[in-house]
Amino acid sequence: MNLKKATYLLVITLLSVGVLSGCGHTPQAQKDTTKPLQVCTNATFVPFEFKDDANATEYKGFEMDLLQAVSKEMGQPIALNNVPFAGIIPALQQGTMDLGASGITLSPERAEKVAFSAPFYESKLVLMVPASGSIHSIQDLKNKTVAVQMGTTAADYCDSKKLATKQFDHNSEVIMELQVGGSPAGILDKPVADYYLTKEGKGKFKIIDLPDAKGEYLAFAMNKNNPQLQKDIDAALLKLKKNGTFQKIYQKWFGTNCPNLPDSAAAALAQTAK
């Protein structure tokens, strides 16, 4: 009886091991590409993500178009969730959201909390002036008043250069000041200026680079415990760059070619640390 019982137990054990081993190869263990990635955004940052009005259901913007292209390349749908910007990183850390897409600056401080994709945009301060004006560089601003947004890096930059400023609450007011000729030049963030030059400012204004303005990279963010998602998104971005889709989206929103960007978050962080 003891021998029969031992043999029975051995067979049951072997069968159990076989069943457990087989479980690792079932479709349920594979990545479910039918389940939408939960994406959190704050749709107030023109031209990256925005809605035409409070009642609109459609999300627009450069980052939204790029996100849809990444989703298509990955073969996985997305679900957009409009949330306060301050809640995006906590939601990613807690795992209630999969991906953050909201013009998020890739910084060392944030990289301690979440993982980032390869960057898709380099932002920095630029000088915007009338296309037919006499200003061609920062040196031409001596004894002139520069329009800037109050409390921004643009205002800080002017202080460091000892430039006289006329300060406003919003970037839109800076642009309005240039339109009416109240100031001969304005300093503002590159994406805002680029987008304006594709719309009302086309042919009327031009952008001048500020060589000593420090660049910042924007990227998608995700939970640090999901390295596969980071790899999948980076692979999709690389394919979109190679097949020209990325360039088309960039041209659509900024009217210019995208500059060379670092191919990973690590490379971007190393570059901004210089």
Side-chain angles (χ1 to χ4, degrees):
M1 290 294 294
N2 288 339
L3 181 59
K4 287 183 179 180
K5 184 176 181 180
T7 302
Y8 173 77
L9 290 173
L10 178 60
V11 171
I12 292 298
T13 300
L14 290 173
L15 286 172
S16 298
V17 171
V19 169
L20 290 173
S21 299
C23 286
H25 300 283
T26 61
Q28 285 77 10
Q30 304 302 313
K31 183 176 72 172
D32 186 359
T33 56
T34 64
K35 183 181 178 182
L37 282 175
Q38 295 298 321
V39 181
C40 47
T41 188
N42 181 243
T44 60
F45 186 31
V46 179
F48 286 87
E49 41 271 325
F50 62 96
K51 293 183 176 184
D52 286 335
D53 56 61
N55 297 319
T57 57
E58 182 184 3
Y59 290 82
K60 295 182 177 181
F62 166 71
E63 192 170 1
M64 294 293 98
D65 282 358
L66 183 60
L67 182 64
Q68 293 293 347
V70 167
S71 168
K72 183 177 179 181
E73 192 65 51
M74 290 172 58
Q76 186 162 8
I78 57 172
L80 289 166
N81 302 269
N82 199 11
V83 302
F85 186 83
I88 291 177
I89 288 180
L92 296 175
Q93 288 180 296
Q94 294 161 12
T96 56
M97 292 286 162
D98 299 308
L99 193 67
S102 196
I104 304 172
T105 300
L106 202 169
S107 69
E109 295 76 20
R110 285 176 174 159
E112 291 180 359
K113 300 175 181 178
V114 294
F116 283 96
S117 69
F120 52 70
Y121 190 89
E122 182 180 9
S123 181
K124 60 181 179 179
L125 295 176
V126 294
L127 180 64
M128 192 165 80
V129 299
S132 58
S134 59
I135 297 173
H136 306 288
S137 70
I138 190 72
Q139 286 74 29
D140 296 328
L141 295 178
K142 187 177 181 181
N143 299 323
K144 291 181 172 62
T145 300
V146 184
V148 295
Q149 184 180 7
M150 189 182 303
T152 62
T153 52
D156 294 339
Y157 179 86
C158 288
D159 286 344
S160 71
K161 296 295 181 182
K162 295 181 169 51
L163 295 171
T165 61
K166 191 171 182 180
Q167 302 195 15
F168 300 87
D169 289 330
H170 305 289
N171 269 321
S172 59
E173 294 172 324
V174 172
I175 292 173
M176 181 65 73
E177 173 74 0
L178 297 180
Q179 287 177 329
V180 300
S183 296
I187 293 179
L188 59 168
D189 290 328
K190 187 176 187 297
V192 178
D194 281 346
Y195 184 67
Y196 174 68
L197 262 62
T198 67
K199 302 298 181 183
E200 296 91 343
K202 189 174 184 179
K204 301 175 184 177
F205 291 87
K206 64 181 179 181
I207 289 175
I208 298 172
D209 283 334
L210 299 173
D212 56 348
K214 189 176 181 181
E216 298 176 333
Y217 291 106
L218 307 185
F220 298 119
M222 63 220 75
N223 189 288
K224 291 175 79 73
N225 293 325
N226 196 349
Q228 187 58 53
L229 180 58
Q230 184 184 41
K231 290 178 183 177
D232 291 344
I233 290 176
D234 279 355
L237 285 171
L238 183 59
K239 287 182 180 178
L240 293 172
K241 289 175 181 178
K242 287 184 175 179
N243 66 25
T245 302
F246 183 93
Q247 196 67 263
K248 288 179 181 178
I249 296 172
Y250 198 96
Q251 275 276 358
K252 170 186 173 181
W253 288 100
F254 304 113
T256 185
N257 289 330
C258 179
N260 290 328
L261 296 171
D263 59 5
S264 69
L269 285 170
Q271 196 161 316
T272 55
K274 293 179 181 178

